[in-house]
Amino acid sequence: MAGATRKVGKTGAANAITADLVAVLVAVTDGEPKIMTIANDGALPSGPFEFAHRSLQTGLRAWVEAQTGHPLGYVEQLYTFADRGRGGDAKSLHSISISYLGLTREDKVGKGFQAHWSGWYEYFPWEDQRAGLSASLAKTLASRLRAWAKSADTTALQRERWQRAAITFGLDERDWNEELVLQRYELLYEAGLIPEAARDRSTAAAVIPGRPMTGDHRRILATGIARLRAKIKYRPVVFELMPAEFTLLQLQRSVEALAGRLVHKQNFRRLIEQQQLVEETGAIAAETVGRPAKLFRFRHGVLAERAVAGTKLPLSRT
Amino acid sequence: MAGATRKVGKTGAANAITADLVAVLVAVTDGEPKIMTIANDGALPSGPFEFAHRSLQTGLRAWVEAQTGHPLGYVEQLYTFADRGRGGDAKSLHSISISYLGLTREDKVGKGFQAHWSGWYEYFPWEDQRAGLSASLAKTLASRLRAWAKSADTTALQRERWQRAAITFGLDERDWNEELVLQRYELLYEAGLIPEAARDRSTAAAVIPGRPMTGDHRRILATGIARLRAKIKYRPVVFELMPAEFTLLQLQRSVEALAGRLVHKQNFRRLIEQQQLVEETGAIAAETVGRPAKLFRFRHGVLAERAVAGTKLPLSRT
DNA sequence: TTCGATTATGCTCAGGATAAGTATAAGCCA
DNA sequence: TGGCTTATACTTATCCTGAGCATAATCGAA
């Protein structure tokens, strides 16, 4: 982007590049969030960008449909990456990756495809705080982060590093913030605690648990998880991941799975009901232990009825 | 993106495309939101994507700095567009636009550049609800939207159209939602009520007030405004647009300018103060009518101290 | 048949946040 | 000095939220 205010459309043909689409496809089964993976579960589904479709979104939809045999529910663009450092060689500079988040219900992948569903916490063990972290992981994380902080040159920098680690990982009595998925990943990368960092910088360091992925893919996945965790709080997107009928506990378990945290049962119900997001089907859940639960369905009407609100300003009425 | 799960990086060299960067650069002066424009104020600053920088962001920063002579504060990626329909000819299909939102303080643009700052409500008159819409604009809008709804074939479709219009534009006693900037623009486009629609589809229709832009640019601007309006509610980004010292009323006027709505003065102050976002400088504003106000500055500390929170789930403490 | 385990669902209650307004303070200017 | 304007403090009713208690319905084992 040279220092000229050129008119739009006059793009220099010299700057030809290639574009890839990368997809974070999410489903939830039995209270576990899954993502679609390929290449022996070491990569996100991706492929070259083609111009056969009206838009990037429709192209992605068609492609996923061809892969899984059923339509994609909710789709949203995540981010476009073109960074050098991460990709590796200089050649990668001439390629950009446009990433998408897609929500669907898990389904059998068509025969002849190598795609699978993998639990997303395989790649981010520290993001699952539902039962608290395992004692060993918690200890490893804390000590490695502290070591990284201490390895800084000045005490000011040391304190700064530790503060960052403490904020993002909820250490030192701070609260855990489930939305900081990307910040945590970036920090671990910077601290050299994950295999991708060692690979890109050829520094061998002690890494922490969590499966790596090709190229930037784990970073893209982190972006997707973060986006989804933020989104479920103000848009009714969870329902894209649920079957047509479900109990409130199943709904709660799905939210907990995505957020990586447990929620208060009664308050969760009150929230859902007061927003009138669901309605009873009249049926009752079978095959349960304990008192059987009512089945609910999503009220599709809400999408049409109201512009499912964002957050608030202290508006004045005049 | 053909139906194959190829391994990442194996991009077909046949699919070479060009990429543009487009920037929505925002400043607020005297309680009016401005955007940087070029080409006689008919386009957003943009240019071909080059690979001279480490990332897209640093490229954008360097470019803006060269243009305006001072550094860019906050930068965030907006969206990557590659749609056919909008661009016009088939050739545009082979180009994608990566758009960014940038916040800065207005400043003189360096000599020899054609860039200017334009008020963003020139392009979206209906988005400024601070004093309510002018009677004429309100009437024009409502009647044109109603006509569009009525022109649908079936009564079901007519009702659906009107409901959409009513929700997005706050008609029929509904509340205005300032975040639906893009939805409103898209609806007006679909209804053929803006020049861009007439241009793309060569249908001559009665258009409503509001200055058009080249290509997709007004849509990109709508995306930027929507993003910013959502963001000011949960991240302290307004401060990127303020001078080093300001009164609380100036801060309020800036928020109102961006949101396009008036806020309750006392409650706004309480909100700001309880979040401890600002601190008194000790100085007092000069040159005012009425009682002089205290000057405040942004507490940069908050960015480091806490992970400025997102919204909430009904968490359980166990 | 009853008890215990398990899950569902209803209800309460205190504390905090919010919306809206009233009251008072501190300048300027005629 | 009185009136105009803006700043800032305080009040009040209402709603929302976190947290916990109580009861209901089902199953299976004693």
Side-chain angles (χ1 to χ4, degrees):
Chain A
M1 200 153 181
T5 50
R6 314 175 94 196
K7 237 183 146 181
V8 194
K10 293 189 75 177
T11 54
N15 288 308
I17 57 172
T18 59
D20 275 333
L21 293 192
V22 185
V24 178
L25 299 178
V26 179
V28 175
T29 350
D30 302 326
E32 279 310 312
K34 313 264 181 149
I35 49 159
M36 193 169 154
T37 52
I38 61 166
N40 203 23
D41 301 338
L44 294 170
S46 70
F49 170 58
E50 285 181 6
F51 292 102
H53 294 92
R54 276 209 7 264
S55 72
L56 294 170
Q57 291 229 0
T58 55
L60 182 72
R61 279 181 188 280
W63 179 75
V64 169
E65 208 159 326
Q67 288 277 304
T68 67
H70 69 140
L72 196 48
Y74 178 85
V75 175
E76 108 174 24
Q77 197 179 88
L78 275 178
Y79 208 80
T80 300
F81 297 92
D83 294 39
R84 171 153 47 189
R86 290 297 171 79
D89 56 346
K91 190 170 162 290
S92 70
L93 245 188
H94 292 257
S95 168
I96 63 178
S97 299
I98 307 171
S99 57
Y100 278 87
L101 171 68
L103 306 184
T104 181
R105 288 161 194 100
E106 183 176 347
D107 207 352
K108 285 137 219 59
V109 172
K111 315 253 180 205
F113 297 107
Q114 309 100 300
H116 289 113
W117 294 100
S118 312
W120 80 23
Y121 292 121
E122 276 181 45
Y123 304 91
F124 296 99
W126 57 87
E127 292 295 343
D128 188 1
Q129 300 268 341
R130 284 175 292 180
L133 292 187
S134 77
S136 73
L137 178 54
K139 213 158 68 177
T140 311
L141 254 178
S143 74
R144 296 282 162 77
L145 288 172
R146 202 174 290 274
W148 169 69
K150 284 221 175 109
S151 72
D153 291 334
T154 69
T155 45
L157 196 53
Q158 287 176 13
R159 190 170 308 120
E160 198 184 294
R161 279 190 177 181
W162 178 249
Q163 194 178 38
R164 245 184 90 201
I167 289 175
T168 48
F169 284 90
L171 306 171
D172 284 352
E173 304 293 300
R174 286 171 201 262
D175 287 334
W176 174 263
N177 183 340
E178 68 279 354
E179 292 186 27
L180 303 179
V181 190
L182 184 59
Q183 286 88 332
R184 283 187 281 269
Y185 178 79
E186 298 277 5
L187 190 145
L188 293 176
Y189 181 94
E190 204 180 316
L193 297 177
I194 55 178
E196 284 93 332
R199 186 189 61 206
D200 292 355
R201 308 187 307 202
S202 55
T203 54
V207 301
I208 57 164
R211 186 168 185 178
M213 283 181 148
T214 349
D216 258 1
H217 284 203
R218 199 148 60 136
R219 184 158 147 240
I220 294 173
L221 177 53
T223 309
I225 296 176
R227 184 75 64 85
L228 187 49
R229 283 185 172 177
K231 203 115 197 175
I232 49 172
K233 291 171 191 162
Y234 61 97
R235 284 296 134 87
V237 286
V238 218
F239 299 102
E240 304 282 350
L241 300 162
M242 303 296 297
E245 303 194 347
F246 48 84
T247 70
L248 291 180
L249 185 60
Q250 284 168 347
L251 183 64
Q252 181 185 342
R253 291 291 176 238
S254 293
V255 169
E256 290 175 336
L258 299 174
R261 317 189 65 171
L262 298 178
V263 307
H264 183 110
K265 193 171 182 170
Q266 295 92 324
N267 291 344
F268 176 77
R269 296 163 146 275
R270 183 177 54 190
L271 216 76
I272 296 291
E273 284 171 1
Q274 83 173 26
Q275 292 181 251
Q276 299 182 286
L277 292 174
V278 298
E279 61 191 2
E280 298 185 17
T281 66
I284 298 281
E287 308 169 38
T288 60
V289 193
R291 171 173 172 178
K294 291 180 194 159
L295 285 175
F296 290 82
R297 76 168 72 89
F298 179 53
R299 283 189 58 230
H300 284 93
V302 291
L303 297 179
E305 288 163 24
R306 19 183 197 118
V308 193
T311 15
K312 294 167 250 181
L313 287 174
L315 295 175
S316 92
R317 95 163 20 168
T318 39
Chain B
M1 200 154 182
T5 51
R6 315 173 95 193
K7 243 187 140 177
V8 194
K10 294 190 70 175
T11 53
N15 289 308
I17 57 172
T18 59
D20 277 332
L21 293 193
V22 185
V24 178
L25 300 176
V26 180
V28 175
T29 350
D30 303 327
E32 280 309 312
K34 312 263 183 152
I35 49 161
M36 192 169 154
T37 51
I38 62 165
N40 203 24
D41 300 338
L44 294 170
S46 70
F49 171 58
E50 284 181 8
F51 292 100
H53 293 92
R54 278 214 0 271
S55 72
L56 293 170
Q57 290 229 0
T58 55
L60 182 71
R61 279 182 189 280
W63 179 76
V64 169
E65 207 158 328
Q67 288 277 304
T68 67
H70 69 140
L72 196 48
Y74 177 85
V75 175
E76 110 175 22
Q77 198 181 86
L78 274 179
Y79 207 79
T80 301
F81 297 91
D83 294 40
R84 171 152 49 189
R86 290 299 171 78
D89 56 347
K91 191 168 160 292
S92 69
L93 246 188
H94 291 259
S95 169
I96 62 178
S97 298
I98 306 172
S99 56
Y100 278 87
L101 171 67
L103 305 185
T104 182
R105 289 164 194 95
E106 182 176 348
D107 206 353
K108 285 139 219 59
V109 173
K111 315 252 181 208
F113 297 105
Q114 310 99 299
H116 289 113
W117 294 100
S118 312
W120 79 23
Y121 292 121
E122 275 181 46
Y123 305 91
F124 296 99
W126 57 87
E127 292 295 341
D128 188 1
Q129 301 268 341
R130 284 176 293 181
L133 292 186
S134 76
S136 72
L137 178 54
K139 214 159 68 178
T140 311
L141 255 177
S143 73
R144 296 283 161 77
L145 288 172
R146 202 174 289 275
W148 170 70
K150 284 223 175 106
S151 72
D153 290 334
T154 68
T155 45
L157 195 55
Q158 287 177 14
R159 191 170 308 122
E160 197 185 294
R161 279 189 176 181
W162 179 250
Q163 194 179 37
R164 245 183 89 201
I167 289 175
T168 48
F169 284 91
L171 306 170
D172 285 350
E173 303 293 301
R174 287 171 201 261
D175 287 334
W176 174 262
N177 183 338
E178 68 278 357
E179 292 186 27
L180 303 179
V181 189
L182 184 59
Q183 287 87 330
R184 282 186 281 269
Y185 178 78
E186 297 278 5
L187 190 143
L188 292 175
Y189 182 94
E190 203 180 317
L193 297 177
I194 54 177
E196 283 94 331
R199 186 189 62 204
D200 292 355
R201 309 187 305 201
S202 56
T203 55
V207 302
I208 57 165
R211 188 169 184 176
M213 284 182 147
T214 350
D216 259 0
H217 284 202
R218 200 149 59 137
R219 185 159 147 239
I220 294 173
L221 177 53
T223 308
I225 296 176
R227 184 75 65 84
L228 186 50
R229 283 185 173 178
K231 203 114 197 173
I232 49 170
K233 292 173 190 162
Y234 61 97
R235 284 296 135 87
V237 286
V238 218
F239 299 103
E240 304 283 350
L241 300 161
M242 304 295 298
E245 304 194 346
F246 47 83
T247 69
L248 291 182
L249 186 59
Q250 284 167 347
L251 183 64
Q252 180 184 342
R253 292 287 177 242
S254 293
V255 170
E256 289 175 336
L258 299 174
R261 316 189 65 171
L262 298 177
V263 308
H264 184 112
K265 192 171 183 170
Q266 295 91 326
N267 292 344
F268 177 77
R269 297 164 144 275
R270 184 186 51 197
L271 217 76
I272 297 291
E273 283 172 1
Q274 84 173 29
Q275 292 181 249
Q276 301 183 285
L277 293 173
V278 298
E279 61 191 2
E280 298 184 16
T281 66
I284 297 282
E287 307 172 34
T288 61
V289 195
R291 175 175 170 178
K294 292 178 193 161
L295 284 175
F296 291 82
R297 77 169 71 90
F298 178 52
R299 283 188 59 232
H300 289 277
V302 291
L303 296 180
E305 288 163 23
R306 15 181 199 119
V308 192
T311 16
K312 294 166 250 178
L313 286 175
L315 295 175
S316 92
R317 92 164 23 166
T318 40

